[in-house]
């Protein structure tokens, strides 16, 4: 097949989103909307990919910064889709081949559909091929007009269509293949004499037909795929469809989703076979989960790596953490970024960790804050233990050696070290380093004043 480049139109603001954020940057199933068609074009083999940007150009560019395959072309004023493509052509000046043209607001488009379109276009040696769909309610879309013999003649926009044309149910998806020579030669001959006074890219269809060039339409089987997102109702609908696709793939690969309709897993997450995910979990940020894990209901996991056989109990929140194998967490635990839990670690209810490493077999079973701590193997952290890691200005580290037993309600005022195999008695505030194999105890001696209450009365 010929070389293929892509142009993705993303300069418009997306007024109907009623948002301060440009439409194409709204996230859908974990990715900015625009990333979906861009990935589809890339997977279909397009290179380079030129983004036409305008509104919030810096923010859009930011998403793709450092991505070599993506070029950006500025469209200062949004004068129409034809004008937008014209703005992209400088970036493609050296390119000869087929140009895929897409819109940034079609996150449901599959790479396979683009490959089919490219193949259809090449097989028929077409100059222009339009991806179309037959819709029950075509309102709002451009209609594909064919002659008596079914040949494509032109596309007419909703606002320019006469009543007869408005009855046409085959619509323009806004996705096309065009030969670069044809584009370069004709893009500037588009006028703006129409209802919206815009330069319509769709006029290239009539231009190609008039010149006797091969201009075809390929109807897609799944009209969902070309759904353009204009408002937040459609945004939610698209997210639901993408989640279904993601969940289906996971289930077919051996993951049990107890209720897939209520499971929110973003693109880019991987989960191993025989893991079970209960309802109302949110898993995102390129999280990797191993085999045989159980993720109970209402768990939120972002940017984590979780080894085989882990059990994350209900209501826990895990961010940027690294769990090795057979680790148990929760219920209602909060693992913050920089947490590393080695094999067989157990974190219980209402425990919060941050930038804390726990060695193999160590436990913090209840009501504890562990921040900036380095904890060895087989350590027991008693209920209510707090690392006092912040003095109001700086953060300090707590180091706890292998085999240490920390009693309940202990405060460790960092920086502080508890040597291996020591015991810190319940209620102790540790301010001085503890040598290995020692007992540390710091309590105010207890006084019992017998009969004190009676005398008060
Ligand atoms: C367009 C098509 C219509 C098709 C529909 C499919 C034209 C004239 N019409 O209509 O036939 O059925 O898509 O969804 O092409 N954009 C720019 N710069 C501009 C104008 C638009 O970058 O100057 C971008 C928008 O940000 C958007 C895309 O192009 O991503 C489509 O523009 P939009 O105004 O939504 O076109 P439609 O009216 O939906
Ligand atoms: Ca649109």
């Amino acid at each position: 097949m010929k070389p293929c480049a892509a142009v993705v139109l993303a300069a418009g603001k997306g007024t109907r989103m009623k948002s301060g954020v440009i439409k194409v940057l709204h996230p859908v199933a974990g990715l900015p909307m625009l990333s979906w068609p861009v990935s589809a074009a890339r997977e279909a083999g397009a290179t380079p990919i030129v983004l036409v940007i305008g509104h919030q150009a810096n923010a859009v560019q930011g998403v793709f910064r450092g991505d070599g395959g993506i070029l950006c072309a500025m469209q200062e004023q949004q004068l129409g889709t034809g004008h937008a493509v014209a703005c992209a052509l400088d970036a493609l000046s050296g390119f000869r081949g087929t140009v895929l043209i897409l819109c940034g607001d079609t996150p449901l488009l599959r790479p396979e559909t683009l490959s089919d379109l490219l193949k259809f276009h090449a097989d028929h040696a077409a100059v222009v091929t339009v991806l179309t769909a037959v819709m029950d309610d075509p309102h709002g879309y451009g209609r594909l007009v064919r002659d008596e013999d079914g040949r494509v003649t032109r596309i007419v926009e909703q606002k320019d269509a006469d009543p007869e044309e408005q009855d046409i149910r085959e619509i323009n998806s806004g996705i096309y293949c065009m030969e670069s020579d044809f584009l370069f030669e004709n893009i500037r001959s588009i006028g703006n004499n129409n209802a919206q006074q815009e330069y319509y890219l769709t006029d290239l269809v009539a231009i190609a037909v008039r010149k006797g060039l091969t201009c075809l339409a390929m109807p897609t089987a799944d009209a969902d795929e070309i759904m353009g997102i204009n408002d937040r109702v459609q945004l939610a609908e698209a997210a639901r469809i993408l989640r279904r696709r993601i969940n289906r793939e996971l289930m077919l690969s051996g993951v049990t989703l107890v209720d897939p309709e209520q499971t929110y897993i973003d693109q880019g997450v991987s989960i191993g076979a025989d893991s079970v995910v209960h309802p109302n979990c949110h898993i995102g940020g390129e999280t990797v989960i191993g085999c045989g894990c159980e993720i109970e209901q209402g768990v939120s996991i972002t940017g984590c790596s979780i080894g085989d056989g882990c059990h994350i109990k209900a209501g826990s929140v895990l961010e940027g953490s690294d769990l090795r194998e057979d680790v148990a967490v929760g219920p209602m635990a909060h693992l913050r970024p920089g947490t590393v839990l080695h094999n067989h670690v157990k974190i219980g209810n209402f425990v919060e960790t941050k930038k804390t490493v726990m060695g193999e077999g160590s436990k913090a079973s209840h009501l504890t804050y562990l921040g900036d701590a380095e904890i060895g193997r087989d350590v027991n952290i008693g209920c209510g233990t707090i690392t006092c890691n912040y003095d109001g200005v700086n953060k300090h580290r707590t180091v706890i050696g292998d085999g240490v037993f920390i009693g309940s309600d202990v405060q460790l005022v960092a920086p502080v070290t508890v040597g291996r195999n020591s015991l810190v008695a319940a209620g102790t505030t540790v301010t001085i380093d503890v040598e290995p194999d020692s007992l540390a105890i710091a309590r105010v001696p207890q006084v019992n004043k017998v009969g004190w209450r009676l005398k008060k009365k």
Side-chain angles (χ1 to χ4, degrees):
M1 227 182 278
K2 283 187 203 170
C4 166
V7 173
V8 184
L9 307 185
K13 179 164 187 302
T15 316
R16 282 168 284 175
M17 294 297 282
K18 309 253 165 72
S19 175
V21 177
I22 183 178
K23 175 167 75 178
V24 292
L25 291 189
H26 279 256
V28 199
L31 296 178
M33 193 187 296
L34 178 60
S35 295
W36 289 93
V38 167
S39 312
R42 176 171 283 157
E43 279 180 51
T47 179
I49 296 171
V50 183
L51 302 181
V52 180
I53 57 177
H55 281 280
Q56 299 182 16
N58 283 337
V60 179
Q61 260 174 314
V63 171
F64 298 97
R65 190 153 291 137
D67 185 332
I70 309 270
L71 307 174
C72 288
M74 196 61 189
Q75 187 194 23
E76 301 286 351
Q77 263 185 305
Q78 281 71 59
L79 302 178
T81 48
H83 178 255
V85 170
C87 293
L89 291 188
D90 268 352
L92 288 179
S93 56
F95 176 82
R96 286 291 168 278
T98 303
V99 182
L100 260 178
I101 302 174
L102 324 169
C103 296
D105 62 356
T106 55
L108 299 178
L109 182 67
R110 288 176 196 263
E112 296 80 11
T113 303
L114 291 181
S115 300
D116 291 349
L117 180 68
L118 281 164
K119 182 166 187 309
F120 180 96
H121 181 81
D123 286 352
H124 293 84
V127 172
V128 174
T129 305
V130 185
L131 183 69
T132 63
V134 177
M135 291 203 163
D136 292 334
D137 178 13
H139 187 86
Y141 287 99
R143 311 295 207 285
L144 189 87
V145 183
R146 294 176 184 264
D147 66 15
E148 313 82 69
D149 301 321
R151 280 184 300 241
V152 173
T153 54
R154 63 195 185 98
I155 291 171
V156 60
E157 291 305 297
Q158 171 77 36
K159 288 181 179 154
D160 301 290
D162 63 31
E164 202 178 311
E165 288 164 340
Q166 287 185 20
D167 285 341
I168 298 173
R169 288 171 52 227
E170 185 175 12
I171 61 102
N172 169 27
S173 67
I175 297 159
Y176 322 80
C177 284
M178 299 196 193
E179 286 310 293
S180 57
D181 289 341
F182 170 77
L183 259 183
F184 284 118
E185 220 165 280
N186 295 284
I187 194 82
R188 288 179 213 283
S189 57
I190 296 174
N192 67 348
N193 182 17
N194 53 51
Q196 305 187 79
Q197 300 199 325
E198 284 184 6
Y199 296 88
Y200 290 164
L201 180 63
T202 46
D203 285 359
L204 284 179
V205 169
I207 292 173
V209 171
R210 202 183 315 130
K211 292 193 166 178
L213 303 170
T214 310
C215 180
L216 303 173
M218 186 187 99
T220 161
D222 178 7
D224 268 358
E225 267 194 54
I226 54 127
M227 172 180 162
I229 308 306
N230 293 317
D231 57 36
R232 299 200 199 221
V233 176
Q234 292 169 320
L235 180 71
E237 178 68 13
R240 196 176 54 81
I241 294 170
L242 286 173
R243 278 200 300 271
R244 277 198 181 154
R245 282 189 200 163
I246 292 167
N247 290 351
R248 190 184 145 78
E249 243 177 71
L250 285 169
M251 290 187 284
L252 292 175
S253 74
V255 178
T256 293
L257 303 182
V258 174
D259 182 354
E261 285 296 305
Q262 308 219 39
T263 303
Y264 307 86
I265 300 175
D266 286 347
Q267 178 72 3
V269 169
S270 99
I271 306 182
D274 286 325
S275 285
V276 178
V277 182
H278 292 264
N280 258 312
C281 288
H282 295 250
I283 307 177
E286 303 195 346
T287 288
V288 177
I289 298 177
C291 296
C293 291
E294 181 158 8
I295 316 292
E296 290 186 8
Q297 64 272 20
V299 166
S300 164
I301 304 177
T302 315
C304 292
S305 158
I306 298 179
D308 295 344
C310 289
H311 186 176
I312 315 299
K313 298 176 196 171
S316 297
V317 176
L318 283 63
E319 309 159 280
S321 296
D322 177 1
L323 281 60
R324 305 293 159 80
E325 295 181 11
D326 298 310
V327 171
V329 172
M332 266 84 72
H334 187 185
L335 307 187
R336 292 167 52 203
T339 297
V340 179
L341 306 178
H342 287 273
N343 296 353
H344 309 294
V345 163
K346 181 174 182 287
I347 295 290
N349 44 202
F350 306 108
V351 173
E352 174 181 345
T353 61
K354 186 217 74 175
K355 283 192 188 155
T356 285
V357 179
M358 282 181 83
E360 197 167 330
S362 290
K363 294 182 171 68
S365 297
H366 339 261
L367 296 162
T368 284
Y369 173 61
L370 300 170
D372 304 299
E374 193 184 313
I375 299 168
R377 304 167 59 116
D378 298 315
V379 170
N380 182 81
I381 306 283
C383 175
T385 296
I386 294 171
T387 53
C388 310
N389 59 328
Y390 186 48
D391 59 14
V393 182
N394 295 307
K395 300 283 171 67
H396 301 283
R397 295 185 60 72
T398 300
V399 179
I400 299 173
D402 294 345
V404 165
F405 185 97
I406 306 277
S408 295
D409 191 29
V410 164
Q411 297 89 53
L412 297 143
V413 181
V416 75
T417 297
V418 179
R420 60 184 305 282
N421 201 37
S422 285
L423 187 149
V424 178
T428 294
T429 300
V430 183
T431 53
I432 306 166
D433 287 352
V434 180
E435 294 78 2
D437 303 309
S438 311
L439 167 70
I441 178 163
R443 292 177 193 157
V444 179
Q446 181 171 336
V447 179
N448 290 353
K449 299 190 175 177
V450 178
W452 185 87
R453 283 301 295 278
L454 296 173
K455 269 182 254 162
K456 273 274 169 188
K457 283 175 185 165

